[in-house]
Amino acid sequence: MVHGGLVTLPVDPAYPEHYIGVMAKETKKSMVEKDLKQLERRVDDLIRTVGRLTAENRSLQTRQDSMAGERARLIKKHELVRGRVESMINRLRSLEHAP
């Protein structure tokens, strides 16, 4: 039979499972392929996210190390200044008590 330029063949009523089974297998295969593509996209997204987070983590660790070094330098400088100020205060006190 010809319908709108397409040739269609009648379904053999004695073997409908041949047609339904093929269609069901193709539909299942199509669904599995679609699910696999979706899973592949999600895995790719996760891989990109892990890469981005790894780079961010490295950057934050470097920054933390730098800040820890800066903190140590500032503590040392603070102690040095404190020593100088205490020394000046002691000299001023000794001048007050000097004859």
Side-chain angles (χ1 to χ4, degrees):
M1 291 188 206
V2 178
H3 294 286
L6 296 175
V7 176
T8 58
L9 300 173
V11 175
D12 186 350
Y15 301 100
E17 66 276 358
H18 290 164
Y19 302 98
I20 294 170
V22 169
M23 289 173 57
K25 284 180 186 175
E26 288 178 9
T27 302
K28 285 181 186 178
K29 182 179 177 183
S30 157
M31 289 174 58
V32 168
E33 287 175 358
K34 181 181 174 185
D35 289 345
L36 284 175
K37 289 286 186 190
Q38 183 179 9
L39 180 60
E40 185 179 350
R41 283 192 298 272
R42 290 179 68 192
V43 168
D44 288 343
D45 288 345
L46 287 172
I47 290 170
R48 281 191 294 276
T49 300
V50 166
R52 181 180 54 79
L53 290 174
T54 300
E56 184 179 343
N57 189 38
R58 264 192 230 112
S59 173
L60 289 171
Q61 286 175 339
T62 301
R63 185 173 176 201
Q64 181 181 5
D65 293 345
S66 172
M67 292 179 92
E70 183 179 354
R71 181 178 186 274
R73 285 188 300 277
L74 288 172
I75 287 172
K76 190 181 251 185
K77 188 175 180 179
H78 180 265
E79 291 299 320
L80 180 67
V81 169
R82 177 185 290 183
R84 287 181 180 171
V85 169
E86 286 176 357
S87 176
M88 282 190 258
I89 290 172
N90 289 335
R91 275 189 264 144
L92 287 172
R93 284 185 183 154
S94 69
L95 288 176
E96 283 179 349
H97 300 298

